[in-house]
Amino acid sequence: TKCGIAFKEPKGLEECLEYIAKFSDFLSFAIFAQQHPTSICLTLNNDSKVYLMFRIKESSSLYGESLLKHEAFSDKIPEILAKWFSVYTELSPIVRQLLRDRNYDLFDTSHFASLAQVLDGYFKRFINKLDGKDIRQYKDEINILRERLKNVNAIASCKIDADVLTESRHKYTHYTPSGDNPKAVKGYELLQLTHKCRVLLACCILDCLGLSNEEINVCCKDSEIEYIINEIGN
């Protein structure tokens, strides 16, 4: 698929590449699979074209449909893109972590710990103090995120236990002694909890980009998020 980007004023090479990187990251989240350009062609002031040489990275395949379905949100895509670029610096590391390690050849506790920490970072960057309150407890952060997304079917299906998530996060990020966090899970239950964190984070990002709970339901349907929910079970 070809994508053309036109600027109102001429841009330098560095600015063009920065814009391409930001847009590639947006496509990665929208499709919910890491995407990379296969060719880059720049049009110069004299209308001549220059093709850049670069190392091509393989894009990831997606499961099901894209997260941001163009046919459902075609009218809102410009607004979503504008929001993406306005929060890109703060949001992009969170999105990259969300899409990293989507498929585990060998799952370990670091996969859970990184996502649990990113949820904390997301809350502090985008949600904390919106109502004037400075929230410091991780459990409270998770409950507030769940409340914001209470009408999202995927979140309801996950049935995230804030106590279990909090104690598991403490155990695997702070390396607390055995017995300090009796509700912390391990093994397959930890893998399920990791998937729940991924679903929660994906829905949080959609919320950040200005989608309502009802619109987030449309995004999740038939996407990888729905696939994850089915894998989690109850």
Side-chain angles (χ1 to χ4, degrees):
T1 302
K2 293 183 178 181
C3 175
I5 300 174
F7 298 102
K8 292 181 179 180
E9 299 177 354
K11 299 290 184 182
L13 177 60
E14 185 175 346
E15 288 180 281
C16 291
L17 293 179
E18 181 181 2
Y19 196 96
I20 290 169
K22 291 179 178 180
F23 189 72
S24 295
D25 283 344
F26 173 76
L27 283 181
S28 296
F29 176 70
I31 295 173
F32 211 68
Q34 197 68 52
Q35 302 298 298
H36 303 284
T38 55
S39 66
I40 298 175
C41 177
L42 303 178
T43 302
L44 305 184
N45 286 339
N46 60 4
D47 289 332
S48 61
K49 297 184 183 298
V50 173
Y51 286 88
L52 298 186
M53 294 183 65
F54 62 97
R55 185 179 300 232
I56 297 175
K57 296 181 180 179
E58 185 177 354
S59 296
S60 301
S61 57
L62 72 156
Y63 296 96
E65 297 183 7
S66 298
L67 195 59
L68 274 172
K69 300 169 178 62
H70 184 270
E71 64 276 12
F73 299 103
S74 58
D75 293 339
K76 197 169 183 175
I77 290 295
E79 178 185 338
I80 296 172
L81 263 173
K83 180 66 175 181
W84 173 267
F85 280 101
S86 71
V87 299
Y88 179 81
T89 301
E90 294 290 302
L91 188 62
S92 58
I94 293 172
V95 172
R96 292 193 190 108
Q97 187 61 52
L98 171 69
L99 297 178
R100 190 175 294 134
D101 300 327
R102 288 165 59 240
N103 301 309
Y104 306 117
D105 291 329
L106 181 63
F107 172 75
D108 63 48
T109 59
S110 66
H111 296 116
F112 164 75
S114 61
L115 283 177
Q117 286 295 90
V118 170
L119 282 169
D120 178 51
Y122 174 85
F123 181 89
K124 286 181 168 59
R125 290 186 177 193
F126 295 102
I127 305 300
N128 197 31
K129 299 182 181 180
L130 285 181
D131 59 358
K133 297 178 182 179
D134 186 7
I135 305 300
R136 297 289 181 173
Q137 298 299 316
Y138 188 81
K139 176 184 174 181
D140 295 335
E141 295 176 4
I142 297 302
N143 281 328
I144 290 170
L145 293 177
R146 290 176 58 208
E147 179 63 22
R148 285 182 64 87
L149 301 165
K150 63 182 179 182
N151 294 319
V152 175
N153 297 332
I155 301 302
S157 297
C158 281
K159 299 178 181 178
I160 297 172
D161 187 316
D163 286 317
V164 171
L165 177 50
T166 299
E167 293 202 17
S168 298
R169 179 252 191 180
H170 292 342
K171 178 179 177 64
Y172 297 110
T173 60
H174 301 312
Y175 300 100
T176 54
S178 298
D180 280 11
N181 301 111
K183 291 187 177 181
V185 294
K186 60 182 179 180
Y188 183 67
E189 288 183 324
L190 185 63
L191 174 60
Q192 287 182 306
L193 186 58
T194 304
H195 288 325
K196 292 179 181 182
C197 287
R198 193 178 301 281
V199 171
L200 177 57
L201 185 57
C203 293
C204 284
I205 294 170
L206 291 169
D207 176 45
C208 179
L209 293 177
L211 279 76
S212 67
N213 281 195
E214 292 74 16
E215 289 171 328
I216 294 175
N217 282 331
V218 174
C219 290
C220 293
K221 184 173 175 56
D222 298 322
S223 73
E224 185 172 335
I225 295 299
E226 189 169 82
Y227 171 82
I228 294 173
I229 293 295
N230 292 334
E231 283 293 299
I232 291 172
N234 292 320

